[in-house]
Amino acid sequence: AQSVTQLGSHVSVSEGALVLLRCNYSSSVPPYLFWYVQYPNQGLQLLLKYTSAATLVKGINGFEAEFKKSETSFHLTKPSAHMSDAAEYFCAVSTNDMRFGAGTRLTVKP
Amino acid sequence: DGGITQSPKYLFRKEGQNVTLSCEQNLNHDAMYWYRQDPGQGLRLIYYSQIVNDFQKGDIAEGYSVSREKKESFPLTVTSAQKNPTAFYLCASSIMRDSGNSPLHFGNGTRLTVT
């Protein structure tokens, strides 16, 4: 069975600052990993996914994530936050069954 | 454009009534899913279906029922047996369920309020 832990239910950054959202996973087999974003009252949209081709994965809207097997982590980063990045972010792990973390709400201050 | 349509966006019901949430996709995906979202709990899987006329219980199926009579459609019924039905419900689809690298495509959700 696999699981995901997102550290920090709420992260606040200033506009232009680095965004770092943390995700650790547990899986008995090599997993596929995903980050999704959710804007208020909407569904989730795929930001990026890791499928073992490369450990550094680039996604949409300037986000990227690095797969670190030794740390069982898949943290999401963006060098410079924009007001439009304010949303909830979900990390997910999948072998044949996708499991989501509890989510991290990102607030961007002007 | 292809996508998933959930309707209605907001739904209000009295306690004790069954209610059906609609989900239609035109992505030609085989697998469809229903998730429930509550604040601070992420997404919890209610039911999923890999092919027409077949579906499986997820982690929190009690008080819910589904059908899959057509590939495009996967309606969810919230029955009066569901003890705490007020939540945001999300429908999703993927190319195949057992392929772990298939991302999910989501609808925009239905917010159900039961009073």
Side-chain angles (χ1 to χ4, degrees):
Chain A
Q2 66 269 23
S3 64
V4 170
T5 302
Q6 291 185 241
L7 302 174
S9 59
H10 189 196
V11 170
S12 181
V13 301
S14 297
E15 193 173 18
L18 171 72
V19 176
L20 171 60
L21 305 182
R22 300 177 187 273
C23 172
N24 288 89
Y25 70 91
S26 171
S27 177
S28 56
V29 298
Y32 300 105
L33 295 160
F34 303 82
W35 275 100
Y36 291 86
V37 60
Q38 183 182 35
Y39 298 100
N41 293 313
Q42 292 187 24
L44 279 68
Q45 302 171 34
L46 180 67
L47 267 180
L48 50 82
K49 68 175 184 178
Y50 166 75
T51 58
S52 78
T55 57
L56 183 63
V57 182
K58 293 189 184 301
I60 62 172
N61 300 338
F63 283 93
E64 61 183 35
E66 186 172 8
F67 173 71
K68 292 187 177 181
K69 185 178 178 180
S70 60
E71 299 176 9
T72 61
S73 69
F74 190 56
H75 302 333
L76 182 71
T77 60
K78 182 173 180 178
S80 177
H82 192 273
M83 298 295 289
S84 61
D85 295 326
E88 188 147 23
Y89 292 80
F90 292 92
C91 182
V93 61
S94 178
T95 51
N96 62 355
D97 186 13
M98 190 168 293
R99 297 285 168 170
F100 290 85
T104 298
R105 182 168 301 279
L106 176 66
T107 301
V108 182
K109 299 176 290 185
Chain B
D1 286 339
I4 298 180
T5 301
Q6 289 188 243
S7 61
K9 190 164 181 66
Y10 299 96
L11 192 52
F12 299 88
R13 279 295 182 270
K14 295 288 189 186
E15 196 172 316
Q17 293 178 337
N18 291 354
V19 60
T20 297
L21 283 58
S22 170
C23 177
E24 303 277 334
Q25 55 104 353
N26 61 3
L27 298 166
N28 199 32
H29 284 172
D30 287 319
M32 296 188 74
Y33 311 79
W34 275 105
Y35 286 91
R36 171 180 171 138
Q37 185 177 17
D38 297 282
Q41 295 195 48
L43 278 68
R44 292 183 289 167
L45 182 63
I46 304 172
Y47 268 99
Y48 64 92
S49 168
Q50 299 185 72
I51 56 172
V52 173
N53 292 323
D54 185 60
F55 46 83
Q56 306 295 328
K57 292 181 179 181
D59 299 321
I60 57 164
E62 186 175 349
Y64 299 98
S65 66
V66 292
S67 62
R68 186 93 185 269
E69 297 177 1
K70 299 184 300 181
K71 186 174 184 177
E72 303 78 22
S73 179
F74 191 41
L76 172 75
T77 296
V78 184
T79 75
S80 56
Q82 168 51 233
K83 302 251 184 283
N84 186 17
T86 294
F88 190 52
Y89 291 88
L90 287 162
C91 180
S93 70
S94 67
I95 293 173
M96 294 187 298
R97 181 175 189 272
D98 291 332
S99 173
N101 67 352
S102 295
L104 300 184
H105 297 253
F106 285 85
N108 280 330
T110 292
R111 188 168 297 281
L112 173 63
T113 303
V114 177
T115 57

Short mmCIF file of all heavy atoms in Angstrom, two decimals, chain A residues 58-82:
data_model
loop_
_atom_site.label_atom_id
_atom_site.label_comp_id
_atom_site.label_asym_id
_atom_site.label_seq_id
_atom_site.Cartn_x
_atom_site.Cartn_y
_atom_site.Cartn_z
N LYS A 58 9.59 19.13 -14.77
CA LYS A 58 9.07 20.48 -14.96
C LYS A 58 7.60 20.40 -15.29
O LYS A 58 7.16 19.53 -16.08
CB LYS A 58 9.83 21.20 -16.06
CG LYS A 58 11.29 21.47 -15.69
CD LYS A 58 11.97 22.36 -16.69
CE LYS A 58 13.44 22.54 -16.35
NZ LYS A 58 13.63 23.13 -15.01
N GLY A 59 6.83 21.30 -14.71
CA GLY A 59 5.39 21.30 -14.94
C GLY A 59 4.92 22.62 -15.52
O GLY A 59 5.70 23.42 -16.01
N ILE A 60 3.63 22.83 -15.40
CA ILE A 60 3.06 24.07 -15.92
C ILE A 60 3.24 25.21 -14.93
O ILE A 60 3.52 24.98 -13.75
CB ILE A 60 1.57 23.88 -16.26
CG1 ILE A 60 0.77 23.52 -14.99
CG2 ILE A 60 1.39 22.82 -17.33
CD1 ILE A 60 -0.72 23.51 -15.18
N ASN A 61 3.09 26.44 -15.41
CA ASN A 61 3.10 27.64 -14.57
C ASN A 61 4.41 27.82 -13.82
O ASN A 61 4.44 28.48 -12.78
CB ASN A 61 1.94 27.62 -13.56
CG ASN A 61 0.59 27.56 -14.23
OD1 ASN A 61 0.45 27.91 -15.40
ND2 ASN A 61 -0.41 27.07 -13.52
N GLY A 62 5.52 27.29 -14.34
CA GLY A 62 6.83 27.49 -13.74
C GLY A 62 7.16 26.61 -12.56
O GLY A 62 8.20 26.77 -11.92
N PHE A 63 6.30 25.66 -12.24
CA PHE A 63 6.56 24.74 -11.13
C PHE A 63 7.45 23.59 -11.58
O PHE A 63 7.43 23.18 -12.73
CB PHE A 63 5.24 24.18 -10.59
CG PHE A 63 4.49 25.15 -9.73
CD1 PHE A 63 3.50 25.96 -10.30
CD2 PHE A 63 4.75 25.26 -8.38
CE1 PHE A 63 2.80 26.87 -9.51
CE2 PHE A 63 4.04 26.15 -7.58
CZ PHE A 63 3.07 26.96 -8.15
N GLU A 64 8.21 23.07 -10.63
CA GLU A 64 8.98 21.85 -10.86
C GLU A 64 9.07 21.06 -9.56
O GLU A 64 8.82 21.60 -8.47
CB GLU A 64 10.37 22.15 -11.41
CG GLU A 64 11.26 22.98 -10.52
CD GLU A 64 12.60 23.27 -11.19
OE1 GLU A 64 12.65 23.46 -12.43
OE2 GLU A 64 13.60 23.32 -10.45
N ALA A 65 9.40 19.79 -9.70
CA ALA A 65 9.52 18.92 -8.53
C ALA A 65 10.68 17.97 -8.75
O ALA A 65 10.95 17.56 -9.89
CB ALA A 65 8.23 18.15 -8.27
N GLU A 66 11.34 17.62 -7.65
CA GLU A 66 12.48 16.72 -7.74
C GLU A 66 12.19 15.45 -6.96
O GLU A 66 11.85 15.50 -5.78
CB GLU A 66 13.75 17.37 -7.21
CG GLU A 66 14.99 16.50 -7.43
CD GLU A 66 16.29 17.21 -7.07
OE1 GLU A 66 16.23 18.32 -6.52
OE2 GLU A 66 17.35 16.63 -7.38
N PHE A 67 12.35 14.32 -7.63
CA PHE A 67 12.18 13.02 -7.00
C PHE A 67 13.49 12.63 -6.33
O PHE A 67 14.53 12.57 -6.97
CB PHE A 67 11.79 11.97 -8.04
CG PHE A 67 11.75 10.57 -7.52
CD1 PHE A 67 10.75 10.17 -6.65
CD2 PHE A 67 12.70 9.63 -7.90
CE1 PHE A 67 10.70 8.87 -6.17
CE2 PHE A 67 12.66 8.34 -7.43
CZ PHE A 67 11.66 7.95 -6.55
N LYS A 68 13.42 12.39 -5.00
CA LYS A 68 14.60 11.95 -4.26
C LYS A 68 14.26 10.63 -3.58
O LYS A 68 13.60 10.61 -2.53
CB LYS A 68 15.03 13.00 -3.24
CG LYS A 68 15.57 14.27 -3.86
CD LYS A 68 16.14 15.19 -2.81
CE LYS A 68 16.75 16.43 -3.45
NZ LYS A 68 17.33 17.36 -2.45
N LYS A 69 14.75 9.56 -4.17
CA LYS A 69 14.42 8.24 -3.66
C LYS A 69 14.95 8.03 -2.25
O LYS A 69 14.26 7.46 -1.39
CB LYS A 69 14.99 7.17 -4.60
CG LYS A 69 14.60 5.75 -4.23
CD LYS A 69 15.16 4.76 -5.23
CE LYS A 69 14.82 3.34 -4.83
NZ LYS A 69 15.36 2.34 -5.79
N SER A 70 16.18 8.50 -1.98
CA SER A 70 16.79 8.28 -0.67
C SER A 70 16.01 8.97 0.44
O SER A 70 16.02 8.52 1.59
CB SER A 70 18.23 8.79 -0.68
OG SER A 70 18.27 10.17 -0.97
N GLU A 71 15.32 10.05 0.09
CA GLU A 71 14.55 10.79 1.08
C GLU A 71 13.05 10.51 0.96
O GLU A 71 12.27 11.08 1.72
CB GLU A 71 14.80 12.29 0.92
CG GLU A 71 16.26 12.69 1.12
CD GLU A 71 16.49 14.18 0.86
OE1 GLU A 71 15.53 14.93 0.70
OE2 GLU A 71 17.68 14.57 0.83
N THR A 72 12.67 9.68 0.04
CA THR A 72 11.26 9.40 -0.31
C THR A 72 10.46 10.70 -0.37
O THR A 72 9.39 10.84 0.23
CB THR A 72 10.59 8.40 0.68
OG1 THR A 72 10.61 8.94 2.00
CG2 THR A 72 11.30 7.07 0.65
N SER A 73 11.02 11.65 -1.12
CA SER A 73 10.38 12.97 -1.20
C SER A 73 10.12 13.36 -2.65
O SER A 73 10.77 12.87 -3.58
CB SER A 73 11.24 14.03 -0.52
OG SER A 73 12.42 14.25 -1.25
N PHE A 74 9.19 14.27 -2.81
CA PHE A 74 8.83 14.80 -4.13
C PHE A 74 8.32 16.23 -3.91
O PHE A 74 7.16 16.54 -4.14
CB PHE A 74 7.79 13.92 -4.80
CG PHE A 74 7.53 14.22 -6.25
CD1 PHE A 74 8.55 14.22 -7.18
CD2 PHE A 74 6.23 14.47 -6.70
CE1 PHE A 74 8.31 14.49 -8.52
CE2 PHE A 74 5.98 14.74 -8.04
CZ PHE A 74 7.01 14.75 -8.94
N HIS A 75 9.20 17.10 -3.45
CA HIS A 75 8.82 18.47 -3.10
C HIS A 75 8.58 19.32 -4.35
O HIS A 75 9.30 19.21 -5.34
CB HIS A 75 9.90 19.11 -2.23
CG HIS A 75 10.19 18.38 -0.95
ND1 HIS A 75 9.25 17.59 -0.31
CD2 HIS A 75 11.32 18.32 -0.21
CE1 HIS A 75 9.78 17.08 0.78
NE2 HIS A 75 11.04 17.49 0.86
N LEU A 76 7.63 20.20 -4.26
CA LEU A 76 7.25 21.10 -5.35
C LEU A 76 7.86 22.47 -5.11
O LEU A 76 7.75 22.99 -4.00
CB LEU A 76 5.72 21.20 -5.43
CG LEU A 76 5.14 22.06 -6.54
CD1 LEU A 76 5.32 21.37 -7.89
CD2 LEU A 76 3.65 22.33 -6.28
N THR A 77 8.47 23.06 -6.14
CA THR A 77 9.06 24.37 -5.98
C THR A 77 8.72 25.28 -7.16
O THR A 77 8.38 24.82 -8.26
CB THR A 77 10.60 24.29 -5.87
OG1 THR A 77 11.12 23.69 -7.07
CG2 THR A 77 11.04 23.49 -4.67
N LYS A 78 8.81 26.57 -6.88
CA LYS A 78 8.70 27.59 -7.92
C LYS A 78 9.58 28.75 -7.48
O LYS A 78 9.47 29.19 -6.33
CB LYS A 78 7.26 28.05 -8.11
CG LYS A 78 7.11 29.09 -9.22
CD LYS A 78 5.65 29.41 -9.49
CE LYS A 78 5.56 30.45 -10.61
NZ LYS A 78 4.16 30.77 -10.96
N PRO A 79 10.48 29.23 -8.31
CA PRO A 79 11.46 30.23 -7.87
C PRO A 79 10.83 31.54 -7.40
O PRO A 79 11.34 32.17 -6.47
CB PRO A 79 12.32 30.46 -9.13
CG PRO A 79 12.11 29.26 -9.97
CD PRO A 79 10.71 28.80 -9.71
N SER A 80 9.75 31.95 -8.04
CA SER A 80 9.19 33.25 -7.74
C SER A 80 7.66 33.17 -7.74
O SER A 80 7.05 32.95 -8.78
CB SER A 80 9.66 34.27 -8.79
OG SER A 80 9.07 35.53 -8.58
N ALA A 81 7.06 33.36 -6.58
CA ALA A 81 5.61 33.22 -6.46
C ALA A 81 4.88 34.38 -7.10
O ALA A 81 5.32 35.54 -7.04
CB ALA A 81 5.23 33.14 -4.98
N HIS A 82 3.74 34.05 -7.68
CA HIS A 82 2.85 35.05 -8.27
C HIS A 82 1.52 34.97 -7.55
O HIS A 82 1.14 33.92 -7.04
CB HIS A 82 2.68 34.76 -9.77
CG HIS A 82 2.02 35.86 -10.53
ND1 HIS A 82 0.65 35.95 -10.66
CD2 HIS A 82 2.54 36.92 -11.19
CE1 HIS A 82 0.35 37.02 -11.37
NE2 HIS A 82 1.47 37.62 -11.70
#
